[in-house]
Amino acid sequence: MAVEERSSGPGTDVLIRKVDSHVTALRAGLQGPDLELAERLASCLRELVVSTAQASAADRAQVRAAVHYFVLRRESRGRLLSVRSLAAAQRLVNKAAFQLGRPDLVVDGRPGRAGGGAAPDVAAHN
């Protein structure tokens, strides 16, 4: 029965597949703390997708936007993946988690290089 709950709509499955496909691609280009951050962001997004499957259209749209932001990674150049784009995705995913009442899903790690993830800033607003 848990499988039925997870696939409560075609949009849910599509979003989860997008996240999974993107993480698979990232595994070829990232390693260490950056890959760990990407994996945690993906896990958070999967949980947000599942937990908002029956939520309001506005909540689902917010999660969909976060998934698309994570997957599109506009700041990347070819196979070189920018740390900044992971930090930006982290800020957006964390903001969505807080706004949807899921502070337990906040990803509070930082990319392994040059400092500042945004999780402490987001957490300070709660």
Side-chain angles (χ1 to χ4, degrees):
M1 191 176 280
V3 174
E4 291 177 38
E5 289 177 28
R6 181 174 183 152
S7 60
S8 57
T12 301
D13 292 339
V14 169
L15 291 174
I16 290 173
R17 277 196 308 271
K18 284 183 179 198
V19 169
D20 290 344
S21 295
H22 186 61
V23 171
T24 299
L26 290 177
R27 287 182 185 129
L30 293 177
Q31 55 186 323
D34 293 334
L35 180 57
E36 291 172 22
L37 176 59
E39 295 272 4
R40 286 182 294 168
L41 289 171
S43 178
C44 174
L45 286 169
R46 284 185 210 100
E47 182 62 31
L48 285 173
V49 167
V50 170
S51 68
T52 59
Q54 301 299 320
S56 70
D59 289 352
R60 291 191 320 270
Q62 186 173 8
V63 172
R64 193 169 46 252
V67 167
H68 289 153
Y69 190 88
F70 176 68
V71 170
L72 291 178
R73 296 177 59 89
R74 297 177 199 274
E75 300 170 37
S76 66
R77 299 286 185 253
R79 292 182 61 83
L80 301 175
L81 301 174
S82 165
V83 172
R84 194 175 101 202
S85 64
L86 272 179
Q90 179 184 10
R91 284 191 296 275
L92 186 70
V93 169
N94 285 345
K95 182 179 178 183
F98 269 112
Q99 289 179 344
L100 295 168
R102 295 297 309 267
D104 58 307
L105 295 179
V106 168
V107 177
D108 58 348
R110 291 183 180 90
R113 294 174 276 221
D121 295 338
V122 174
H125 289 102
N126 191 4

